[in-house]
Amino acid sequence: MAVLSIRMIGDPILRTPAAEVTDFGPELARLVEDMTETMIDVQGAGLAAPQVGIGLQVFTYRVDGVQGHVVNPVLEVGGESQGESDVEGCLSVPGLGSYVGRTDWARVTGKDVSGGDVVVEGTGMLARALQHETDHLRGTLYIDRLEGEDRKSALRAIRSAEYNRVTSRTAAQRSRSLGSSFTQGPASGGTASRSTGTFGQGAR
């Protein structure tokens, strides 16, 4: 297994809908292993294949001790909005976080690396993760779901010269683990409008 490089906002693959997986062979299994190791290394709650430069419908997740992956996920959502229960961020948009109106329940159905059926259902944080990662496979980032002043603030931050320094610093920090086996270290703090996001620890 190896730690992979995470693509940052501005990379076109993050805006490109991912392709359906049709080959459930050893390459897919290796991808999921590497994505899982990468997700753990950066202390994330989820990671989608486009975030590591692979345009396939695959994501991994790790929430409250529950860890897994889904291939070709189909998302269902329901229930009330979670409102401002938690700040959401993204490993591909480091150092920023905001409240996103995710529903409190979600379920994905799909496949595992062997082509077997998978169903993952949850509320709260897990529901948020399932929605967030499925968005990635559609070429959508969490900032696209922001409205009003939250959206304006996030876009201003991303366009600023300081944000370029944040992404460069984050890339340098992550590069220390690239290609290695997993060794977990403390998350590094980032400069953020709302500090730590749910799907990325600070600017790590």
Side-chain angles (χ1 to χ4, degrees):
M1 295 189 293
V3 175
L4 306 174
S5 177
I6 296 177
R7 304 297 179 93
M8 301 286 193
I9 186 170
D11 191 311
I13 197 167
L14 296 175
R15 296 302 196 176
T16 305
E20 182 177 355
V21 173
T22 57
D23 184 358
F24 291 82
E27 289 187 5
L28 178 63
R30 176 60 184 267
L31 172 63
V32 169
E33 288 180 354
D34 289 348
M35 285 175 58
T36 299
E37 184 169 4
T38 303
M39 173 183 65
I40 294 171
D41 182 70
V42 295
Q43 301 180 28
L47 187 67
Q51 291 182 275
V52 294
I54 306 297
L56 293 175
Q57 293 180 21
V58 183
F59 71 73
T60 59
Y61 63 91
R62 185 182 64 153
V63 177
D64 297 332
V66 179
Q67 179 175 305
H69 68 276
V70 185
V71 179
N72 298 336
V74 176
L75 175 69
E76 303 171 67
V77 296
E80 298 180 354
S81 170
Q82 294 188 32
E84 297 189 352
S85 62
D86 204 350
V87 172
E88 186 170 328
C90 181
L91 295 169
S92 294
V93 191
L96 297 179
S98 191
Y99 295 109
V100 182
R102 303 289 189 183
T103 60
D104 190 53
W105 173 88
R107 176 170 59 204
V108 292
T109 55
K111 302 292 183 179
D112 62 18
V113 291
S114 301
D117 292 336
V118 170
V119 178
V120 183
E121 181 176 342
T123 59
M125 177 71 164
L126 181 55
R128 184 180 294 274
L130 297 177
Q131 293 170 75
H132 181 104
E133 301 310 328
T134 303
D135 269 356
H136 271 301
L137 304 183
R138 298 169 176 168
T140 299
L141 299 176
Y142 87 94
I143 57 174
D144 300 329
R145 295 190 176 276
L146 301 181
E147 298 178 350
E149 198 56 41
D150 282 343
R151 181 174 177 82
K152 292 177 183 178
S153 177
L155 293 178
R156 278 195 302 267
I158 290 167
R159 292 173 183 141
S160 70
E162 172 61 24
Y163 193 69
N164 289 333
R165 288 190 284 272
V166 170
T167 56
S168 296
R169 185 166 59 246
T170 302
Q173 290 169 344
R174 291 174 178 169
S175 69
R176 298 169 190 164
S177 297
L178 294 182
S180 70
S181 59
F182 167 58
T183 54
Q184 185 169 357
S188 302
T191 56
S193 59
R194 282 182 176 166
S195 66
T196 302
T198 301
F199 299 89
Q201 298 294 323
R204 180 165 166 87

